[in-house]
């Protein structure tokens, strides 16, 4: 049983999307297992007094360019989702409902959701998109639709988001490993260095 | 005559400090000349509705740790300056007064000022520190003291800061090369890739 690396991401985070392609391979290379946590950036923005990058003067224009430029450099497709920014509640609830059954299935769902949003530009705020994404990884869409409308599943996601804040997670992507916190897709190389050297 | 890469930095920017060690070598490796621009983050924070990293809940604690951790990884000394954050007016004025005489001398001054602040923890807001730093690179400290109190030199820095904002610079470090904007010490590897490949 390897050690755990915690990977936090918001389904509508462009940099989370970029990082999600890499994190499992990096963790596995050094004998770690990446444990994925869907979060919402909204409460994090509230906690730190910030807002979505695209809504910030000057930073917004820069960021839109940087998302696409970094994706090209990393060799992955990139488009902006149809609705952005937004609170990806259904996606987050679906993720935890699946994770409590089968964590690998939850990861496959998350990867398919990221692909739908940032490779295909689809609208993750629509329940129909979430159902189609779930179906594409073999999940019963009707069962998912019912489950994510229950208070239990809603509460499950809410608590996960609260826990992320309590753990010091204020952005996406965010990695916690060996008690060290790394914020941003641009810290993924440092995460890899940290695992390779056992710290520095 | 090589092409120009524009490097913007605030004298009290920890990530600007980290980047300043690398930027000239990267530029020169690909036939570019780095043109340094001292700026002030205060007006940039106002423009984007932000504030110094250390003053932001959660982000502050993370950043203090990240500054030091990244410096260790990059193999350079790091301490926080005695007064931080703060508006490094005297340093900026001295920088442009020198740059208008000898741009290489201005760079040597900037490097010595960064060393004083982030390797030795000295207070760059004190005129005595600026004079000592200037003297250490062979500048007449008395002449500098007189010059930076003139309206001409004050105006010179003020306009440079305004120009940086007009050029889209909202952070430190910030690089503009071939019309591309790169924000942050963590984008320096992308700057190098950009120069090496001629874009992507």
């Amino acid at each position: 049983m390897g050690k755990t690396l915690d990977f936090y991401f918001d389904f509508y985070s462009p940099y989370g999307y970029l990082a999600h392609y890499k994190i499992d391979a990096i963790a596995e290379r050094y004998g770690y297992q990446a444990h994925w946590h869907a979060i919402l950036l909204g409460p994090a923005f509230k906690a730190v007094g910030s807002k979505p990058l695209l809504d910030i003067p000057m930073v917004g224009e820069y960021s839109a360019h940087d998302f696409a430029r970094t994706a090209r450099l990393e060799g992955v497709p990139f488009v902006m989702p149809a609705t952005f920014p937004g609170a990806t509640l259904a996606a987050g609830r679906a993720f935890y409902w699946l994770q409590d059954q089968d964590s690998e299935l939850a990861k496959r769902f998350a990867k398919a959701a990221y692909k739908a949003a940032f490779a295909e530009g689809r609208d993750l705020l629509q329940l129909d998109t979430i159902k189609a994404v779930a179906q594409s990884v073999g999940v019963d869409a009707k069962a998912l639709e019912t489950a994510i409308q229950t208070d239990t599943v809603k509460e499950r996601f809410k608590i996960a988001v609260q826990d992320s804040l309590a753990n010091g997670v204020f952005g996406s992507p965010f990695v916690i490993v060996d008690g060290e916190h790394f914020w941003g897709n641009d810290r993924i190389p440092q995460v890899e260095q940290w695992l390779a050297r056992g710290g520095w």
Side-chain angles (χ1 to χ4, degrees), chain A residues 126-141:
Chain A
Q126 294 299 322
L127 183 57
D128 282 349
T129 313
I130 301 303
K131 287 167 69 180
V133 165
Q135 211 148 21
S136 77
V137 294
V139 172
D140 178 338

Side-chain angles (χ1 to χ4, degrees), chain A residues 97 139-148:
Chain A
W97 177 66
V139 172
D140 178 338
K142 190 73 203 151
L144 177 139
E145 180 174 5
T146 304
I148 67 174

Side-chain angles (χ1 to χ4, degrees), chain A residues 32-171:
Chain A
Y32 283 73
Q33 193 159 22
H35 184 65
W36 290 30
H37 306 257
I39 62 165
L40 288 175
L41 279 176
F45 288 142
K46 196 169 288 183
V48 306
S50 185
K51 53 187 172 181
L53 289 170
L54 295 189
D55 294 349
I56 302 174
M58 301 178 81
V59 176
E61 195 185 344
Y62 171 85
S63 298
H65 187 74
D66 187 66
F67 298 158
R69 182 177 62 193
T70 302
R72 286 203 310 278
L73 180 62
E74 301 191 354
V76 298
F78 185 81
V79 290
M80 289 303 290
T83 50
F84 181 92
T88 51
L89 283 162
R93 289 166 183 163
F95 175 81
Y96 285 102
W97 177 66
L98 292 169
Q99 193 177 57
D100 290 343
Q101 302 168 54
D102 177 346
S103 65
E104 286 308 309
L105 178 60
K107 274 191 196 183
R108 286 200 297 279
F109 167 78
K111 289 172 186 178
Y114 260 148
K115 184 181 170 203
F118 290 104
E120 296 162 4
R122 284 156 70 194
D123 179 357
L124 284 194
L125 305 185
Q126 294 299 322
L127 183 57
D128 282 349
T129 313
I130 301 303
K131 287 167 69 180
V133 165
Q135 211 148 21
S136 77
V137 294
V139 172
D140 178 338
K142 190 73 203 151
L144 177 139
E145 180 174 5
T146 304
I148 67 174
Q149 290 173 24
T150 63
D151 288 344
T152 311
V153 172
K154 288 180 179 176
E155 191 69 10
R156 174 76 174 86
F157 185 35
K158 191 176 170 187
I159 288 171
V161 173
Q162 287 169 349
D163 284 351
S164 71
L165 286 166
N167 289 335
V169 174
F170 55 81

